[in-house]
């Protein structure tokens, strides 16, 4: 009976979330109607399919009284992201004018919703306006996580969402909340997120973009998704001011959103400026920007000013796993691109929309490494690892080391697999870095897009994108025998 109740609550929550997500299809429907595009039918059909599937599932499980456990939270997250990916890919499949096969539709949908921004479409600039908007919307919804939005609404349905919230939020400190009530926390995150998206869109417009392009780039930038309305990404505009806006908002979006909430509540920048992870993130970012700037100038490709603008923008975009790019980055010196691909594993702060391993984990690993060195010099010394003024618990240390090992192991496995399929090592490394870090900028054979990958490679990169977005543990937990012994 217990098992049946647990399955019912999983089904009920997944159905409720599918229902909510299907409503997002109405926005591209309105865009298609405004521009009188045939894509309206694909989006409306997806909306109907999502409503029917979600509605039927919700109706037959509506009487369940069980509350989700930790195990249920992991199962719901993985199941929903799989449903999420399928539903996101449906408009690409149903729109016959796009002529996209199943694997390409899945790749594009997963890339959008995981905020990867890698594309298999050869001519993005010629896509209908509604499809361009839809791709940006996928980035925006996936950025903070539709689960957090749902948690703000699920209490209205009489369903507890604590386990969902903890399973979805990135980073090692999953129990932290902004406010005492979970729904208020989720709402606060979305208010900050929407505010930042609005300011970014306005900034792009003020820098020279059309309103449509500014909105699409604004919401894809704050989500660190990287989908663009142009084949050349931001390089199309050949505008230093636009690149600076893209770089600045990439950095702002890589900051823990809880810090923004605290700053707005206390009306003081001190909580942000004194945050140890934020300081560490800015330090690493500053060092990498300076290196790339000087190397671009030294290579003779640009003058001092242009080298700074392009270096600042690309470093900010790739390190935060945004994925917007200049048009000629593939011509940069190889060692600079390999460095940028490597720092994409670093990512931004926890609680942001970025991918990668996250700055906080690297800060903890750095502090523990120095602590071990000190311990070897002074064997009898008792040292405590702290982030800011807070000591790091042993459980968190184990979690960080475990995650770091699994992340690198999975990355190496995917690199080896692509290399085994016949891709050169540079292409394999760049492609995996772009996908598992949810960064989206390819290099080598994928510099001009990911459409050149064969079907097997695309499916593997779909798996890599989902692993990176869910931070590996939820998927591996579901593969464990111990998980199913309940």
């Amino acid at each position: 009976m217990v098992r049946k109740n647990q399955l019912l609550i999983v089904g009920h929550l997944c159905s409720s979330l599918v229902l909510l997500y299907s409503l997002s299809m109405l926005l591209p429907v309105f865009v298609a109607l405004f521009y009188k595009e045939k894509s309206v039918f694909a989006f409306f059909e997806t909306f109907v399919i999502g409503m029917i599937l979600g509605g039927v599932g919700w109706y037959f499980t509506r009487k369940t009284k069980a509350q989700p456990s930790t195990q249920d939270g992991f199962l719901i997250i993985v199941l929903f992201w799989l449903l999420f990916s399928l539903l996101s890919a449906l408009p690409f499949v149903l729109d016959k004018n796009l002529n996209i096969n199943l694997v390409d539709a899945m790749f594009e949908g997963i890339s959008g919703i995981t905020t990867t921004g890698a594309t298999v479409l050869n001519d993005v600039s010629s896509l209908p306006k509604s499809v361009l908007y839809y791709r940006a919307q996928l980035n925006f919804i996936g950025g903070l996580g539709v689960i957090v939005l749902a948690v703000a609404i699920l209490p209205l349905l009489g369903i507890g969402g604590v386990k969902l919230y903890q399973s979805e939020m990135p980073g090692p400190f999953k129990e932290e909340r902004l406010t005492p009530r979970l729904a208020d926390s989720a709402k606060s995150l979305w208010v900050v997120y929407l505010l930042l998206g609005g300011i970014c869109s306005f900034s792009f417009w003020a820098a020279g973009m059309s309103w449509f392009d500014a909105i699409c780039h604004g919401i894809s930038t704050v989500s660190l998704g990287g989908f663009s309305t142009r084949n050349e990404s931001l390089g199309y505009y050949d505008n230093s001011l636009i690149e600076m806006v893209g770089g600045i908002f990439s950095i702002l979006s890589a900051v823990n959103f809880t810090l923004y909430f605290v700053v707005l509540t206390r009306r003081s920048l001190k909580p942000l400026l004194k945050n140890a992870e934020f300081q560490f993130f800015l330090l690493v970012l500053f060092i990498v920007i300076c290196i790339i700037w000087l190397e671009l100038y030294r290579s003779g490709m640009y003058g001092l000013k242009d080298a700074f603008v392009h270096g600042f923008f690309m470093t900010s975009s790739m390190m935060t796993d945004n994925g917007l790019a200049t048009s000629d980055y593939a011509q940069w010196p190889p060692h600079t691109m390999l460095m940028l691909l490597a720092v994409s594993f670093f990512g931004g702060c926890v609680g942001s929309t970025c991918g990668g391993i996250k700055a906080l984990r690297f800060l903890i690993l750095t502090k523990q490494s120095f602590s071990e060195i000190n311990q070897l010099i002074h064997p009898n010394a008792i040292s405590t690892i702290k982030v800011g003024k807070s000591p790091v618990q042993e459980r968190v240390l184990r979690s960080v080391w475990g995650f770091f090992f699994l992340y690198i192991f999975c990355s190496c496995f995917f690199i080896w697999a692509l290399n085994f399929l016949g891709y050169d090592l540079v292409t394999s490394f760049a492609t995996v870095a772009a996908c598992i870090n949810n960064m989206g900028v390819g290099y080598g054979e994928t510099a001009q897009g990911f459409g050149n990958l064969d079907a097997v490679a695309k499916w593997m990169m779909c798996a890599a994108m989902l692993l990176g977005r869910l931070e590996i543990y939820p998927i591996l937990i579901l593969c464990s025998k111990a998980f199913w012994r309940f």
Side-chain angles (χ1 to χ4, degrees), residues 433-486:
C435 292
I436 199 167
N437 295 328
N438 305 131
M439 181 264 295
V441 175
Y443 191 58
E445 293 182 36
T446 54
Q448 302 303 318
F450 293 74
N452 294 328
L453 297 175
D454 61 36
V456 176
K458 288 174 183 174
W459 283 119
M460 285 196 300
M461 291 305 97
C462 286
M465 287 186 277
L466 286 170
L467 274 171
R469 180 63 180 87
L470 293 176
E471 295 203 330
I472 297 176
Y473 274 123
I475 294 178
L476 293 185
I477 285 172
L478 259 63
C479 296
S480 169
K481 290 182 180 180
F483 174 84
W484 300 101
R485 294 172 185 169
F486 66 93

Side-chain angles (χ1 to χ4, degrees), residues 152-182:
I153 300 174
L154 287 178
L156 301 177
L157 307 176
I159 301 170
V162 175
K163 299 302 179 183
L164 286 180
Y165 182 83
Q166 290 180 354
S167 299
E168 170 67 9
M169 292 305 291
F173 303 119
K174 294 178 181 286
E175 293 82 0
E176 293 183 357
R177 302 187 197 173
L178 300 179
T179 61
R181 294 182 66 248
L182 183 62

Side-chain angles (χ1 to χ4, degrees), residues 114 142 173 187 202 228 236-237 266 450 463:
T114 57
F173 303 119
K187 290 174 185 175
F202 177 80
S228 176
Y236 166 84
Y237 302 95
R266 299 182 183 178
F450 293 74

